[in-house]
Amino acid sequence: MNAIIADTETNTMNGYPIEIAYANCAFDQGKLVIDQENAFDGFFSCPDPISLGAMAVHHILPSEIENKPLYSTFKLPEGITHIIGHNIDYDIRALQKCQQTIQVKGVCTLALSRMVWPELESHNLSAMYYHVMDDLVTAKRHLRGAHNAKADIYFTGVLLLAILEKLAIKDMNSLWLISEQARIPNIITFGKHRGTAIKELPSDYVAWLLKQPEVDPYLRKALENI
């Protein structure tokens, strides 16, 4: 298997990964097989403290990582070409703190969820898990473990299978290509034009944004398209 569903929990926003979980997955005769039973879940120490905001989200205590291996000891399995996750860029950036030379294609279930179900008011992982589950009581019980990395890769896997069924995707390259398409935004999400369709942005604002060095690459594609 050369793809994984992955999730990280960090010591602060965009900080060091202190919990990393992943499950191998691959398409077999057009069906995605996820090896959840052998999923990896590890805790890691880091040089900075855990912020209160991060602790309130993932509930990882300083004592739980105190004697764990340093985050930089983590390495991805050999041969991984695709990493799948909800807002996957965040997790890839966290993993790059461990292993600077990660060369993978990211598949974002957040972007895919927004494309497949644009009418939903929320596309965070918990909301999407409720949406794709028929049994809401069971979903509620499962979600009590949300923001634990191992639990989140399970939720992402369930969501991913629903997306694949909806889009009739049967191979990894097609999944990556449609994820790339889904990640190109239609609406600006920040600044004085927040909420405006990108195609309706003033031309001088588009020109200004394109000159900014840190513009998200997918936003840049959207801007260049107009």
Side-chain angles (χ1 to χ4, degrees):
M1 293 184 174
N2 58 1
I4 58 173
I5 299 172
D7 186 70
T8 62
E9 304 296 345
T10 54
N11 71 305
T12 189
M13 181 64 71
N14 294 311
Y16 297 105
I18 56 175
E19 183 184 11
I20 301 172
Y22 67 82
N24 292 289
C25 63
F27 282 89
D28 182 11
Q29 299 181 356
K31 300 288 186 181
L32 185 71
V33 177
I34 303 171
D35 187 11
Q36 194 72 45
E37 289 187 4
N38 295 306
F40 171 86
D41 183 24
F43 286 83
F44 298 88
S45 60
C46 70
D48 293 341
I50 302 173
S51 72
L52 285 176
M55 201 182 305
V57 171
H58 52 54
H59 306 293
I60 299 172
L61 303 178
S63 59
E64 293 180 283
I65 65 168
E66 186 175 6
N67 297 313
K68 298 299 182 181
L70 190 63
Y71 74 96
S72 57
T73 61
F74 174 81
K75 297 293 183 289
L76 286 172
E78 292 290 333
I80 295 299
T81 58
H82 296 77
I83 299 182
I84 303 163
H86 212 67
N87 191 21
I88 190 58
D89 287 344
Y90 186 91
D91 300 296
I92 289 176
R93 287 194 298 269
L95 292 171
Q96 284 173 334
K97 287 180 166 60
C98 311
Q99 188 175 343
Q100 296 289 330
T101 57
I102 292 176
Q103 298 291 331
V104 294
K105 294 177 178 179
V107 173
C108 184
T109 55
L110 174 58
L112 288 165
S113 296
R114 288 170 173 164
M115 183 183 75
V116 174
W117 297 286
E119 73 283 3
L120 298 181
E121 64 174 334
S122 175
H123 295 89
N124 67 48
L125 186 54
S126 295
M128 293 311 307
Y129 189 65
Y130 270 126
H131 182 68
V132 301
M133 285 286 285
D134 294 326
D135 185 344
L136 296 183
V137 174
T138 298
K140 177 181 177 179
R141 186 172 69 251
H142 290 171
L143 285 166
R144 291 188 185 279
H147 290 295
N148 165 283
K150 189 173 183 180
D152 284 356
I153 62 170
Y154 173 78
F155 303 145
T156 302
V158 172
L159 172 59
L160 178 60
L161 292 173
I163 291 170
L164 295 177
E165 182 177 359
K166 201 80 168 164
L167 298 177
I169 295 172
K170 299 184 181 300
D171 64 89
M172 192 62 68
N173 191 57
S174 296
L175 174 59
W176 175 72
L177 288 172
I178 200 164
S179 171
E180 288 291 285
Q181 178 184 338
R183 293 172 78 175
I184 299 174
N186 296 313
I187 295 173
I188 198 79
T189 58
F190 59 87
K192 63 181 180 180
H193 295 290
R194 182 175 181 174
T196 303
I198 287 174
K199 64 182 180 181
E200 297 176 0
L201 289 172
S203 58
D204 58 340
Y205 185 67
V206 171
W208 177 81
L209 271 179
L210 286 171
K211 293 177 182 177
Q212 305 312 303
E214 297 184 1
V215 171
D216 176 86
Y218 295 97
L219 174 58
R220 183 175 293 279
K221 287 182 181 181
L223 296 170
E224 290 172 345
N225 286 343
I226 62 170

